[in-house]
């Protein structure tokens, strides 16, 4: 078994980005600037956004955190998005999901300028991704592709089973793994809550990508020998014995599945840190595109 070490690889990527940003500074160019909007006080979302902003500082990006109260109306959020769309200082921004119930997420995602949509959630960018055009690929699937590439995992002709059809992970992942090229060229099955015989389908997978959010869902007896196992689940489980009052766990029974898998991502330290690194990569790309457009 080889560990797909997202912590290590994400640090390498951040080093690579730092080198690029240093060159930009030395040339007297504007450095990338990422903004993040967060609405409300969800603990996990605040943690993620905090990590994103801290990572910006680490690689030398500018960053802006926009915190809005949970009572924010849709129109107030749309106005803020328009402000960031118009602000030439900002190269890319994200609206952290989920949003409070009074806000229509689809309307919000449509309002983001596709050229600043470093999450790759706007239909224009999602469509480009599906059509193999150059675009911002959503950070979590992008991070998984990067891990597969850096560990030289063979995906061609393999059966990839994706568990979960979310717009952020499962759906884009299923498209990307089926694309021509590497990593990709897989035969993909996208499973979800209405899938029949899900355990039988998973048992046929060469590559399992679980984005379900159910702790310990994937057990050793469900996966084939030498399967590649990617765990996208990040669930907080309450535990008074831990300093923070909870611990983080994935969808996979790591202790037992790792004995059978050829490659496996840990949680924490797998897909999570890769997501942040790829968001930074998309922001660097956004800056380079804006620079080239203004030449
Ligand atoms: N919520 C969970 N994952 C993500 C992500 O990648 N981007 C945004 N904006 N919100 C999220």
């Amino acid at each position: 078994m080889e560990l797909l070490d997202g912590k290590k690889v994400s640090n390498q990527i951040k080093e690579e980005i730092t080198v690029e940003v240093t060159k930009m500074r030395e040339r007297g160019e504007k450095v990338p600037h990422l903004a993040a909007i967060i609405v409300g006080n969800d603990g996990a979302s605040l943690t993620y956004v905090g990590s994103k902003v801290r990572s910006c500082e680490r690689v030398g990006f500018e960053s802006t955190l926009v915190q809005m109260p949970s009572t924010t109306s849709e129109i107030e959020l749309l106005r803020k998005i328009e402000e960031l769309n118009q602000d030439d200082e900002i190269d890319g921004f994200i609206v952290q999901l989920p949003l409070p119930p009074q806000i229509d997420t689809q309307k919000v995602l449509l309002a983001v300028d596709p050229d600043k949509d470093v999450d790759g959630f706007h239909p224009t960018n999602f469509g480009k991704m599906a059509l193999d055009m150059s675009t911002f690929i959503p950070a979590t699937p992008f991070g998984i592709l990067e891990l597969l590439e850096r560990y030289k995992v063979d995906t061609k002709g393999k059966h990839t089973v994706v568990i979960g059809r979310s717009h952020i992970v499962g759906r884009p992942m299923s498209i990307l793994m089926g694309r021509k090229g590497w990593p990709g060229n897989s035969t993909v099955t996208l499973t979800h809550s209405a899938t029949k015989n899900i355990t039988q389908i998973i048992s046929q997978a060469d590559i399992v990508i679980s984005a379900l959010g159910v702790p310990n869902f994937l057990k050793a007896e469900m996966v084939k020998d030498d399967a590649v196992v990617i765990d996208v689940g990040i669930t907080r489980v309450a535990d008074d014995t831990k300093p923070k009052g909870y611990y983080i766990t994935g969808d996979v029974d790591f202790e037992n599945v790792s004995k059978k898998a050829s490659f496996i991502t840990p949680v924490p330290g797998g897909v999570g840190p890769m997501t942040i690194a790829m968001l930074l990569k998309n922001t660097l790309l956004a800056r380079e595109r804006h620079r080239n457009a203004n030449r």
Side-chain angles (χ1 to χ4, degrees), residues 45 48 52 94-98 119 121 139-140 168 275:
S45 291
Y48 298 147
K52 290 173 185 178
I94 65 158
V95 182
Q96 187 67 25
L97 303 179
D119 256 333
F121 293 169
T140 302
I168 296 180
T275 297

Side-chain angles (χ1 to χ4, degrees), residues 59-70:
V59 299
F61 286 8
E62 300 287 338
S63 64
T64 299
L65 177 61
V66 181
Q67 277 188 279
M68 302 179 83
S70 57

